[in-house]
Amino acid sequence: MPELIAKGPFDGQAERTKAGVTLTPLAEGPLWSVALFPGGAKGAAKALKALGLVFPAPGTWAQNGEARIVWTGRDQALLSGPLPGGLDGHAAVTDQSGGWAGIALSGPAARAALARLVALDLRPAVFGPGQAARCGLNHVPAVLICTGAEAFELRVFRSMARTAWHELAQVQDHLEARAG
């Protein structure tokens, strides 16, 4: 009988800095999809208040300590960290912990790198800290989160994590070649 070996989405990948862009695999942790039921917004707001969070407006995210909630669509969000009680009857909650992987992207050329792969206006005045969007990272579906002036996080399906990493690493190589 074959023996299954648990592996992380980025096993063997270490932080990579090149051409003013740093790629860092994010640690895995609890991740929940929260989809509001019709009329469930008030009840969900009360439950999220226990974490110091509110349900995010479209295109935004919020964080309080280890708890973060990111808008992912109409009445939908990804909640990382602890799951508050009281969401029953107000939202459909599903554990997504094993289904997603994260990559941090930072540095002075982070926006330039992302601009080669996503069809979004990434100018700081349009997509700045606190903003989030569902988008394609080239051909990989992703959730893009702006965490700082020169810092982003990407959430991609775990099965596509290595492809996303490869796409970003390839852009680093192209940026370096262009500068040289």
Side-chain angles (χ1 to χ4, degrees), residues 29-34 77-79 93-101 157:
L31 187 65
W32 312 91
S33 172
V34 179
L78 280 178
L79 175 65
V93 178
T94 55
D95 185 356
Q96 300 289 312
S97 303
W100 292 78
F157 296 124

Side-chain angles (χ1 to χ4, degrees), residues 30-157:
L31 187 65
W32 312 91
S33 172
V34 179
L36 297 178
F37 293 143
K42 286 184 183 179
K46 185 178 178 183
L48 290 170
K49 189 175 182 180
L51 296 176
L53 298 174
V54 296
F55 202 85
T60 67
W61 65 276
Q63 185 165 341
N64 185 19
E66 291 184 23
R68 177 190 285 177
I69 191 162
V70 180
W71 175 88
T72 56
R74 183 177 181 205
D75 294 335
Q76 292 183 325
L78 280 178
L79 175 65
S80 57
L83 181 65
L87 285 172
D88 292 347
H90 304 291
V93 178
T94 55
D95 185 356
Q96 300 289 312
S97 303
W100 292 78
I103 302 170
L105 181 76
S106 61
R111 284 183 193 276
L114 282 171
R116 290 173 170 245
L117 298 172
V118 301
L120 293 173
D121 185 347
L122 296 173
R123 290 176 297 163
V126 177
F127 196 79
Q131 299 297 121
R134 286 201 82 149
C135 60
L137 180 75
N138 203 1
H139 60 279
V140 176
V143 176
L144 178 62
I145 305 160
C146 184
T147 58
E150 297 176 341
F152 300 87
E153 287 184 10
L154 286 158
R155 291 280 177 185
V156 298
F157 296 124

